Amino acid sequence: MSELNLRAERLDAADALAPLRSRFALDDVVYLDGNSLGALPAHVPDRVADVVRREWGELRIRSWTESGWWTAPERIGDRIAPLVGAAPGQVVVGDSTSVNVFKALVGAVRLAGDDRTEILVDATTFPTDGYIAESAARLTGRTLRALTPDEVPGALGPRTAAVLLNHVDYRTGRLHDLPSLTAAIHAAGALAVWDLCHSAGALPVGLDEHGVDLAVGCTYKYLNGGPGAPAFLYVRRELQPRFDSPLPGWNSHAEPFGMSPRYAPAPGAARGRVGTPDILSMLALEAALDVWDGVDIDAVRAKSLALTDFFLECVAAYTEPGRVEPVTPAEHGRRGSQVSLRCDDAGEVMKRLIEAGVVGDFRQPDVLRFGFTPLYTTFADAERAARILGSLLR
Amino acid sequence: MSELNLRAERLDAADALAPLRSRFALDDVVYLDGNSLGALPAHVPDRVADVVRREWGELRIRSWTESGWWTAPERIGDRIAPLVGAAPGQVVVGDSTSVNVFKALVGAVRLAGDDRTEILVDATTFPTDGYIAESAARLTGRTLRALTPDEVPGALGPRTAAVLLNHVDYRTGRLHDLPSLTAAIHAAGALAVWDLCHSAGALPVGLDEHGVDLAVGCTYKYLNGGPGAPAFLYVRRELQPRFDSPLPGWNSHAEPFGMSPRYAPAPGAARGRVGTPDILSMLALEAALDVWDGVDIDAVRAKSLALTDFFLECVAAYTEPGRVEPVTPAEHGRRGSQVSLRCDDAGEVMKRLIEAGVVGDFRQPDVLRFGFTPLYTTFADAERAARILGSLLR
């Protein structure tokens, strides 16, 4: 047994979060793709079966009230809120991330007022944010400028309406400085919209503490809500009364069953709703959030950094120098919960890694991406993944 | 046993669709609310369990390709297509009805061109269509005029960009004349956008035959897809290359995994996609559509009319004259698959009906609404519902 192997054993033995792994359905595969699709929490299948057989099959229409379906979007939003540092009443669940980016960005532009004519967007972002930002700019008559997060402070000005940024870059795993960027955006009088897809459930976000205006996030990565589980939208409490959604569906009406031809927006987080929520996906997510009971997000962050540190150390030890190059920052303050390695033949390497029982993913053009979910990833997983990677690259 | 009771027995015995009822999980309740939430097809729970336990739990990320998750929106769209008279490749499933109304209406306005500055919308429509139409008009710089479907032909002109109409009115159950209204809209050079929420799965629609431009519809009513199952969007094949979605999420990109910062829309129905589809709800819907195997929508329509005729006859026989007033048209060509009865104390009456085992619903301010799903509603259901209603109104 190698020294790193022994270290992994000791680290796992000392890990206070280690027992959480038993809350998930896992097997012998080293699953380092929880940043794309989180693993199945073990109790979710029974809950989904109950929703289908009893709530839909037996209670049918009565479940909208009796099984709490109608209020699920806000109720589940309040379950996510503490994980992203939000007080209750500001997060609502529903629709895809892309649709929520649209609501948030058009909403932000309207809050900024007519004299602010430019939207700034992270040029390195997951593409959908850029595409949707372009549509939001076009429909609201604003211009759109794409730039790197580092360039944002220098680009802000009296014309800036809103800035859409990713908290963690999906490709490199770089963590951006949410507090200082938000402060700079506010100093310019603009609104800060953050995409938390790769940070929610992986590290503390502190939405309220840092005065973020609007945010969106994904629930099927580090929150393990299941494939295509609905995304969430955060609108800071002070902004809610003026939040003017571009998708004012009947679920966001102050009296949805009044069936009034006049639209009157609901107060609070419900204003971010649109149409009928997809209950099966939503209640699977609600059940999945049970795994967070008693879990401290700071402890999750500490383990995440320890895991990625250890993985980088193992990669360095097991891989011939120069064969891969880490693109995820070494500095803790700039690292999310993933490690991305540049590698010339990344597509082929990832294919062989998966065949060898180590599941990460490949991102164009040359990135091997490994996600670390502290709730279920072990140090032994990190060591084994690096060891197999090293052997494949020889 | 009354004469109507015997008639119901004979009608059920002669009903070629009667065996389909066994494909659903039903009980002694007379369920006449399938126009709000369709009943559970009996085989769906096992399929959902397999999706959760094996596809998500065991295959995890691999299911996006190996379990056909990625292509589900178009594949399921093609299952719905024949039920609404569409050739393959024109229907895509995903997002809520409200979100799809937004895509369809903004898309239609853009197809109509800049010199067409007015949108017409059904003033009697389900409210969300009106709210979303208002947002679409505001964001595209068009004016919006709300009017009854009967007023549409007289209001069309060279400034009309698009008309959003409901095929069946959710409150009255009135079926509007899709072929002639679509023809009138086309004669004015405008685009016809139809909301099929209360007709898809209940009666033949003939989208291709009548040259409808765009359409949206719900899958959790007569298509029994489950609570909040994703809606569908139809874009006529000839219009697809110019369809310009206001929600160009990464799922609608020609090369979604190319992760290009430049948006390039996919060809075909996939252009109507937005973000990651909610797989659990979507695959429950796919399984639910199996109940349509071998079912002819014309036979469904014939039974629907026979059921609503018989229910109206029973109501007339069992209820004191003047106590309720049918608001659903008597004429077959103007009737959907529901019967709405005006009744002064409708809210209280529906409450007592439900307690007595007859589930319909109440719509503001004074409407008792009964939906008839020919796949599982029996003539005995219709007779019993009318009889209990009559006894409660005495």
Side-chain angles (χ1 to χ4, degrees), chain B residues 271-289:
Chain B
R271 189 174 293 197
R273 292 175 65 161
V274 186
T276 304
D278 48 330
I279 291 300
L280 303 192
S281 293
M282 191 162 285
L283 298 189
L285 164 63
E286 182 172 35
L289 292 169

Side-chain angles (χ1 to χ4, degrees), chain A residues 27 36 38 46 53 56 60-61 110 128 131 135 138-139 220 226-228 244 246 248-250 253 260 276-279, chain B residues 27 33 36 38 46 53 56 60-61 110 128 131 135 138-139 220 226-228 244 246 248-250 253 260 276-279:
Chain A
D27 49 29
S36 187
D46 286 346
R53 286 185 193 277
W56 173 15
R60 290 183 285 265
I61 195 70
R110 289 174 172 173
T128 211
Y131 307 156
S135 176
R138 175 180 172 194
L139 285 165
Y220 53 76
D244 182 5
W250 73 294
H253 197 284
S260 162
T276 304
D278 48 330
I279 291 299
Chain B
D27 49 29
D33 212 7
S36 187
D46 286 346
R53 286 185 193 277
W56 173 15
R60 290 183 285 264
I61 195 70
R110 289 174 171 173
T128 211
Y131 308 156
S135 176
R138 175 180 171 193
L139 285 165
Y220 52 77
D244 182 4
W250 73 293
H253 197 284
S260 163
T276 304
D278 48 330
I279 291 300

Side-chain angles (χ1 to χ4, degrees), chain A residues 153-363:
Chain A
L156 292 162
R159 289 179 50 236
T160 313
V163 185
L164 171 63
L165 292 167
N166 268 248
H167 197 189
V168 173
D169 185 283
Y170 80 101
R171 198 188 315 240
T172 64
R174 177 174 163 190
L175 171 67
H176 292 291
D177 187 345
L178 181 144
S180 78
L181 282 164
T182 301
I185 293 163
H186 285 171
L191 284 97
V193 182
W194 284 92
D195 180 332
L196 310 176
C197 282
H198 287 270
S199 62
L203 49 94
V205 178
L207 289 176
D208 286 351
E209 180 187 351
H210 304 301
V212 167
D213 299 299
L214 298 104
V216 303
C218 169
T219 66
Y220 53 76
K221 299 180 188 291
Y222 295 103
L223 296 177
N224 313 299
F232 65 87
L233 172 70
Y234 165 90
V235 180
R236 183 155 57 84
R237 189 180 307 282
E238 295 72 26
L239 300 177
Q240 287 175 347
R242 291 191 298 127
F243 175 64
D244 182 5
S245 172
L247 293 170
W250 73 294
N251 271 233
S252 70
H253 197 284
E255 287 186 66
F257 291 94
M259 302 287 164
S260 162
R262 296 258 109 222
Y263 180 69
R271 190 174 292 198
R273 292 175 64 161
V274 186
T276 304
D278 48 330
I279 291 299
L280 303 192
S281 293
M282 192 162 285
L283 298 189
L285 163 63
E286 182 173 35
L289 291 169
D290 290 349
V291 300
W292 291 92
D293 286 353
V295 175
D296 173 17
I297 192 77
D298 290 312
V300 168
R301 173 62 169 164
K303 180 175 173 185
S304 161
L305 289 170
L307 278 167
T308 50
D309 274 346
F310 184 63
F311 179 69
L312 284 163
E313 184 183 342
C314 292
V315 168
Y318 289 132
T319 310
E320 290 170 33
R323 190 66 180 83
V324 298
E325 178 205 350
V327 292
T328 304
E331 193 188 323
H332 282 181
R334 298 171 67 221
R335 188 196 304 162
S337 197
Q338 76 184 54
V339 170
S340 295
L341 303 174
R342 189 166 289 134
C343 172
D344 284 341
D345 45 351
E348 180 58 26
V349 169
M350 185 49 72
K351 216 176 118 192
R352 290 170 58 210
L353 256 182
I354 291 170
E355 285 163 9
V358 177
V359 177
D361 59 24
F362 161 62
R363 283 295 175 262

Side-chain angles (χ1 to χ4, degrees), chain B residues 48-69:
Chain B
V48 172
D50 183 56
V51 171
V52 174
R53 286 185 193 277
R54 188 179 57 83
E55 296 189 358
W56 173 15
E58 294 175 21
L59 298 178
R60 290 183 285 264
I61 195 70
R62 291 163 49 192
S63 275
W64 280 107
T65 47
E66 292 178 31
S67 302
W69 289 356

Side-chain angles (χ1 to χ4, degrees), chain B residues 252-306:
Chain B
S252 70
H253 197 284
E255 287 186 67
F257 291 95
M259 301 287 163
S260 163
R262 295 259 108 221
Y263 181 70
R271 189 174 293 197
R273 292 175 65 161
V274 186
T276 304
D278 48 330
I279 291 300
L280 303 192
S281 293
M282 191 162 285
L283 298 189
L285 164 63
E286 182 172 35
L289 292 169
D290 289 349
V291 300
W292 291 92
D293 286 353
V295 175
D296 173 16
I297 191 77
D298 290 312
V300 167
R301 173 61 170 164
K303 180 175 173 186
S304 161
L305 289 170

